[in-house]
Amino acid sequence: MSGSPRPVLVMKFGGTSVATVERIKNVAQHVKREYDAGYDVAVVVSAMSGKTNELVAWCKEASELYDQREYDTVVASGEQVTSGLLAIALQAIGLPARSWQGWQIPLHTDSAHGSARIADIDGKNVLASFAKDRTIAVCAGFQGVNPETGRIATLGRGGSDTSAVALAAALKAERCDIYTDVDGVYTTDPRIVPKAQKLDKVAFEEMLEMASLGAKVLQVRSVELAMVHNVRTFVRSSFDNPASPTPGTLICAEEEIMEQPVITGIAYSKDEAQITLREVADKPGVAASVFAPLAEASIVVDMIVQNISADGKQTDITFTVPSADYARALALIEGRKAAIGYKLLQSAKDVAKISAIGVGMRSHAGVAAKAFQALADRGINILAITTSEIKFSVLIDAAYTELAVRTLHSLYGLDAQ
Ligand code: ADP
Ligand code: ASP
Ligand code: MG
């Protein structure tokens, strides 16, 4: 029940799309086009590009060990500014518009300040404003309110994508359009591979993998929500002429895609760090002694490689953790040196994870093996490998990131002709 006879549309604009007042005025024209076409419109905005980084840096400058709740108070301010500015820009071109902060909607979160999850969104106030006088709701992305504390909470970096998809689900929107600085989802980051191709459609599962393996075009949680609530989500460009927009990329169910290549996209992430423990006793319980303390500290271990020892006595264990958790992970492992019983700890932050993703991998054998050979032919050493049903990842020296991405992109026939 939308509370209104008109279809609802959610439009989200990222940081570069609202980077200046001039661009905000351009965004207002995109909104006007859809409003005039007959939609009730909820807009979700990010902070001006670079603003959130600046606010985060200020928190760190104030204190390295800042309080997460106050961090949320500070970083949520970027979206407050752009929501107000867009409402003003819309009013200036004769459209009724009002800004909404997360607590006003309300968008409720859990208590994980700094990277909160959305618990629920009550869409009735926004829908009532649509029903009353078709006022455009300009919502501050990235922020909500933790009902336990009544305080502002933010959704983790890139969280405005998630605000938008969640709002689209709550308002039963016809679609959710995510406007950004590229005109869709590409076979890989078009900024590092000029031959990357725009995809018309990407399956939810593939987009989920691409986002979690480094393609920051959508926040992972936004894709999860789009999949669970079946929200028709498009990624498209805000730099298009508002009068002649292009459709962008649809994120949709696998069944909607007619021809599926084996590999759909290549992603990379430099946010990984590698830790190797040399000469660990090869006996039951050793892996638990390494990984249980990391799990208790909520450190997510991604790749794990354990060698089979030649003599049955000692082995080496290599694993990766997010760069942000690297220092904590090292301290934990070093603090347990005696209990774990390793000889030497080696670690590196200058590593990168390169991943190839495609639902077509389910029905094809030997897809990853081809990549290992192609990387070897370029002299790129593989430090660790993981595979799952629709993707595989290799860990390499970060200096070879671009070469590796381009190599795999060509290998799987993804280069534009
Ligand atoms: P916004 O500020 O609009 O949220 P982001 O910077 O978060 O935008 O995401 C858009 C960026 O994602 C693009 O500029 C592009 O460099 C990057 N990107 C990485 N991988 C991909 C991909 N496969 N397709 C499109 N863009 C990608
Ligand atoms: N402004 C926030 C960030 O930079 C949220 C977003 O843009 O999605 O992470
Ligand atoms: Mg983003």
Side-chain angles (χ1 to χ4, degrees):
M1 174 206 73
S2 77
S4 138
R6 294 169 295 272
V8 174
L9 178 66
V10 172
M11 308 172 76
K12 180 256 170 179
F13 294 88
T16 34
S17 311
V18 294
T20 59
V21 172
E22 207 45 51
R23 290 207 187 146
I24 290 176
K25 289 183 178 170
N26 182 57
V27 163
Q29 293 298 334
H30 280 284
V31 175
K32 180 172 168 34
R33 180 190 66 236
E34 304 295 350
Y35 184 86
D36 288 348
Y39 286 102
D40 280 347
V41 184
V43 191
V44 173
V45 285
S46 289
M48 290 178 169
S49 69
K51 188 38 105 182
T52 311
N53 287 347
E54 182 183 44
L55 296 169
V56 172
W58 285 348
C59 291
K60 287 198 181 132
E61 199 183 324
S63 166
E64 270 301 327
L65 293 173
Y66 52 76
D67 179 328
Q68 290 287 354
R69 294 181 192 185
E70 300 311 337
Y71 163 94
D72 279 345
T73 301
V74 175
V75 298
S77 66
E79 276 70 11
Q80 175 162 344
V81 170
T82 46
S83 61
L85 287 174
L86 180 57
I88 293 173
L90 288 165
Q91 291 168 1
I93 56 172
L95 300 177
R98 193 51 75 204
S99 65
W100 296 73
Q101 305 310 296
W103 61 269
Q104 289 169 313
I105 294 173
L107 184 157
H108 288 146
T109 71
D110 66 8
S111 57
H113 281 274
S115 58
R117 280 181 168 270
I118 298 176
D120 63 82
I121 299 184
D122 188 344
K124 78 171 180 306
N125 296 334
V126 170
L127 290 172
S129 83
F130 290 162
K132 188 165 159 262
D133 50 14
R134 279 194 84 203
T135 303
I136 296 166
V138 186
C139 305
F142 182 52
Q143 51 158 282
V145 58
N146 169 5
E148 278 169 38
T149 56
R151 304 198 65 90
I152 297 171
T154 62
L155 307 176
R157 298 306 305 272
S160 298
D161 298 330
T162 304
S163 309
V165 175
L167 194 61
L171 301 177
K172 300 199 172 22
E174 185 181 290
R175 23 173 244 278
C176 179
D177 287 347
I178 310 258
Y179 287 81
T180 183
D181 54 5
V182 284
D183 59 358
V185 177
Y186 279 70
T187 46
T188 193
D189 188 343
R191 296 195 196 284
I192 76 158
V193 180
K195 285 184 177 168
Q197 297 185 66
K198 194 181 106 184
L199 298 161
D200 292 333
K201 292 179 180 179
V202 185
F204 287 124
E205 290 86 347
E206 290 175 329
M207 195 62 235
L208 204 51
E209 292 286 5
M210 283 170 74
S212 37
L213 295 168
K216 66 167 186 160
V217 61
L218 288 177
Q219 199 198 33
V220 179
R221 283 182 204 162
S222 71
V223 187
E224 280 168 4
L225 285 181
M227 187 159 124
V228 170
H229 296 284
N230 208 13
V231 177
R232 272 184 99 68
T233 303
F234 285 84
V235 173
R236 50 195 297 186
S237 171
S238 71
F239 295 117
D240 281 349
N241 179 348
S244 52
T246 49
T249 302
L250 172 65
I251 321 297
C252 61
E254 209 178 309
E255 300 71 49
E256 277 195 56
I257 303 175
M258 300 293 276
E259 267 184 67
Q260 240 347 316
V262 178
I263 295 293
T264 303
I266 312 291
Y268 67 94
S269 162
K270 292 184 181 172
D271 297 330
E272 309 275 319
Q274 176 204 347
I275 298 178
T276 298
L277 304 180
R278 299 272 180 216
E279 296 187 34
V280 184
D282 194 6
K283 60 173 194 217
V286 168
S289 73
V290 174
F291 298 116
L294 295 172
E296 263 163 48
S298 304
I299 296 175
V300 179
V301 174
D302 179 18
M303 307 175 115
I304 302 178
V305 181
Q306 180 175 344
N307 292 337
I308 309 263
S309 57
D311 58 4
K313 291 190 187 120
Q314 261 144 12
T315 182
D316 294 339
I317 300 181
T318 292
F319 58 92
T320 62
V321 294
S323 313
D325 295 326
Y326 176 63
R328 280 200 306 140
L330 274 188
L332 271 173
I333 299 294
E334 278 165 354
R336 283 171 176 70
K337 183 163 189 204
I340 300 169
Y342 59 88
K343 175 98 177 283
L344 181 70
L345 186 156
Q346 292 171 320
S347 62
K349 274 189 90 172
D350 49 356
V351 290
K353 183 169 69 176
I354 317 294
S355 309
I357 299 112
V359 289
M361 275 178 80
R362 287 199 197 110
S363 48
H364 286 80
V367 179
K370 267 171 78 178
F372 305 153
Q373 187 57 51
L375 294 172
D377 292 345
R378 301 276 184 302
I380 302 174
N381 190 31
I382 298 174
L383 306 169
I385 300 171
T386 50
T387 63
S388 74
E389 211 189 8
I390 65 163
K391 61 110 183 158
F392 69 86
S393 304
V394 294
L395 191 73
I396 61 166
D397 183 333
Y400 296 108
T401 307
E402 296 187 9
L403 178 61
V405 171
R406 290 200 182 118
T407 301
L408 298 192
H409 198 264
S410 310
L411 178 72
Y412 295 113
L414 300 175
D415 287 354
Q417 295 310 317

